[in-house]
Amino acid sequence: DAEARKALALMGPRALGLGATQVVFLVMTGLASTLAAGSIAVFNFAFAVLQIPIGVIGVPLGVVLLPALSREAALGGTETFRRLLVRGLAMLGYVMLGITALGIVVAEDVTRLLFDYGSITEDALEATAVTLAVFLLGLTAHSLIAVLARAFYAMRDTATPVSAALLAVVVNILIANALLGPFGLPGLAGAIAIGA
């Protein structure tokens, strides 16, 4: 079936883009392993908390908008497509900027609430809170990516998001190597925020 072949062809770049994200995470984990003991756990804890608002708000909004965007793209409704996309991005940006500001203020409290049990040290809790606060600087961008990528998918363009993802891999790795020495784990978090 021609449509099935077209769908498979469009899925290839998407799979490559998901792989690019994993490459960044593997490289960052490898760089974190060169730091003090426990750095990988701190990095993973902070990154996991960052994923909560993205997974609860950003990704679902992109999923909800995709059918409407796809319909408008297929029908040639450029103005309606643009209006839906801009409204979705504006709403998401507004919410995520507020969550970012609040999250940075309460990063230490959230870290203590989630991880202050067992044998975790005070230094690890503080490092997790600082790393989380830096990660949160990129929260809005990470969330917008979830919607923007789907806007390209709606237009049957999977190459542009993959190109952006591959560029982000290069940016993330270059900046991480530059910031690792002076800033440690917060430098890695900063590289991911800047890359987004």
Side-chain angles (χ1 to χ4, degrees), residues 101-180:
L102 180 63
I104 290 171
V105 170
V106 300
E108 187 171 345
D109 296 325
V110 168
T111 301
R112 288 190 183 286
L113 178 69
L114 294 174
F115 305 114
D116 192 10
Y117 58 88
S119 62
I120 192 165
T121 66
E122 184 65 27
D123 289 342
L125 286 171
E126 290 175 12
T128 302
V130 170
T131 304
L132 173 60
V134 175
F135 266 134
L136 286 169
L137 295 174
L139 175 63
T140 302
H142 286 293
S143 298
L144 293 176
I145 289 168
V147 174
L148 286 170
R150 283 169 176 81
F152 282 101
Y153 302 155
M155 296 184 296
R156 296 184 177 197
D157 177 1
T158 55
T160 301
V162 169
S163 299
L166 294 175
L167 177 62
V169 168
V170 173
V171 169
N172 276 315
I173 292 171
L174 290 175
I175 294 174
N177 280 300
L179 297 180
L180 180 66

